[in-house]
Amino acid sequence: AAAAAPTGAAAAATTARAPRVNPFLDPELAPMPARFSVVVDDSSETSEFPEAVDVPAAKTNPHKPTLTGMQRADGVLYQTGQRASASSAEFLLCEGLLLKVRGALQNHKRWFMLTTRKLMYFTENSGSLISSVAVEDIVAVTNISSSNRFRLMTKVPFGASASNEMLLEAPNQVVKEKWLTALTADSEVFANLQKAQLVVEGYMVKVQPLGATSKTRWFRCTKEKLSYHRNEAGEEMGSVLFDYIMQVTLCKNKTDFKVSSVQPFTVTGSYEIHCRCPSLRVRNKWVTALHSILPDNKFVPEE
């Protein structure tokens, strides 16, 4: 039987290229009660991301309710409708760039965000919201083990094409596992993996002084600290607790900001890190995240 047409907030969320709204204001939708049987798909189409090494799958206790209500078994994540109490408050689980696979000349990289209540995707980081779906309406997620891909099946239409299936490709196996782990983490596992509640994450250029090479790094901001990593879901290279941050300087060029600390927190032992965002909107996103943790007097304009 065809899935019932979405109403209210769900219908608005599935409209193609709807105006961007605050994702934390939508009401929570009704839970999806049953397990859904899915066959593991080993299809292999040409990848638009570089090949990467395999990593072992993370273990999730199937007897504990998870933050999204999803459990993992035999390569399939399925919705149980049983969510951990910590998920009553909405917060970010992970975000990043994924490839939406639809066939030749129809594949597009989009920015995805997963919270304890919904999965959303945007035209780009801090771009326009395209669609969202409540986690209760994600019926199953199939891990395509021979690739960097996984397939979503939803109870309601999700995406610009209003389909109940979506094939996604991560940049590599490590990032794919990041998403599968976030989808099935219980509150204890998530606390151990993330160290503290995630606020924002994404790539920024770590700007170096003249004579040194600036490099793109993956930055993460939790309620506890600001850290940067060699790449997404990769090795941590440096971090600073928010208690030790003295100042956040907003640079005149509108895309950069600097974070100064009372202790060194970079590989080179620097007390300051200079971050360059891909756009003003992304910088605003990061400054807003930092502002939610640090007081007003920590933020100063560049002279």
Side-chain angles (χ1 to χ4, degrees):
T7 60
T14 56
T15 303
R17 302 190 181 279
R20 187 171 182 242
V21 298
N22 186 335
F24 299 100
L25 296 181
D26 290 346
E28 184 175 5
L29 302 182
M32 164 63 194
R35 174 174 177 166
F36 197 92
S37 178
V38 180
V39 177
V40 174
D41 184 354
D42 285 324
S43 62
S44 57
E45 298 180 29
T46 302
S47 170
E48 291 193 14
F49 285 116
E51 186 177 354
V53 296
D54 289 339
V55 293
K59 302 294 184 181
T60 302
N61 188 340
H63 303 295
K64 287 187 177 181
T66 63
L67 294 171
T68 63
M70 303 201 76
Q71 297 281 358
R72 187 190 304 205
D74 301 324
V76 176
L77 283 59
Y78 60 94
Q79 180 58 250
T80 65
Q82 300 176 353
R83 298 170 62 197
S85 58
S87 60
S88 59
E90 185 174 21
F91 58 88
L92 184 65
L93 295 175
C94 70
E95 62 178 317
L97 202 63
L98 294 171
L99 180 71
K100 279 185 81 260
V101 181
R102 297 182 59 191
L105 304 179
Q106 298 185 69
N107 300 341
H108 297 286
K109 292 180 182 179
R110 301 298 188 198
W111 192 265
F112 282 76
M113 295 180 68
L114 173 67
T115 75
T116 50
R117 292 186 183 176
K118 61 176 74 72
L119 175 66
M120 305 163 280
Y121 74 96
F122 302 79
T123 52
E124 58 186 349
N125 190 5
S126 295
S128 299
L129 175 67
I130 298 176
S131 187
S132 71
V133 63
V135 293
E136 292 89 348
D137 288 330
I138 302 175
V139 180
V141 180
T142 306
N143 177 13
I144 303 175
S145 57
S146 61
S147 71
N148 298 330
R149 295 178 176 181
F150 56 98
R151 176 177 280 108
L152 300 178
M153 296 192 68
T154 57
K155 185 181 178 183
V156 297
F158 175 46
S161 59
S163 172
N164 292 72
E165 289 191 22
M166 183 179 291
L167 182 60
L168 299 173
E169 182 177 302
N172 53 58
Q173 289 280 323
V174 177
V175 174
K176 181 174 79 167
E177 189 57 38
K178 162 192 153 177
W179 282 94
L180 298 182
T181 298
L183 280 162
T184 56
D186 60 51
S187 54
E188 180 181 351
V189 170
F190 188 76
N192 291 337
L193 288 174
Q194 306 291 352
K195 309 301 181 188
Q197 182 178 321
L198 181 63
V199 181
V200 64
E201 62 178 342
Y203 278 114
M204 292 189 286
V205 175
K206 183 173 175 287
V207 180
Q208 301 283 38
L210 290 176
T213 303
S214 299
K215 294 183 178 180
T216 299
R217 299 299 186 199
W218 185 264
F219 286 77
R220 300 183 79 251
C221 172
T222 70
K223 291 287 188 180
E224 179 186 43
K225 66 180 182 180
L226 175 67
S227 62
Y228 71 99
H229 305 247
R230 191 171 300 278
N231 43 46
E232 184 177 1
E235 170 195 0
E236 181 179 296
M237 302 183 71
S239 66
V240 60
L241 297 175
F242 281 107
D243 291 341
Y244 297 122
I245 291 180
M246 293 190 305
Q247 185 173 284
V248 178
T249 304
L250 306 182
C251 301
K252 294 179 180 178
N253 65 0
K254 305 298 185 183
T255 59
D256 295 15
F257 65 92
K258 300 175 184 177
V259 179
S260 304
S261 169
V262 297
Q263 66 176 24
F265 67 101
T266 69
V267 172
T268 58
S270 174
Y271 289 75
E272 181 179 84
I273 194 164
H274 183 164
C275 303
R276 175 163 296 156
C277 303
S279 68
L280 173 60
R281 286 181 300 181
V282 174
R283 190 184 79 163
N284 288 342
K285 175 182 175 180
W286 276 93
V287 171
T288 300
L290 294 170
H291 212 191
S292 70
I293 304 167
L294 296 169
D296 291 347
N297 60 8
K298 297 278 188 178
F299 295 82
V300 297
E302 186 177 49
E303 296 181 356

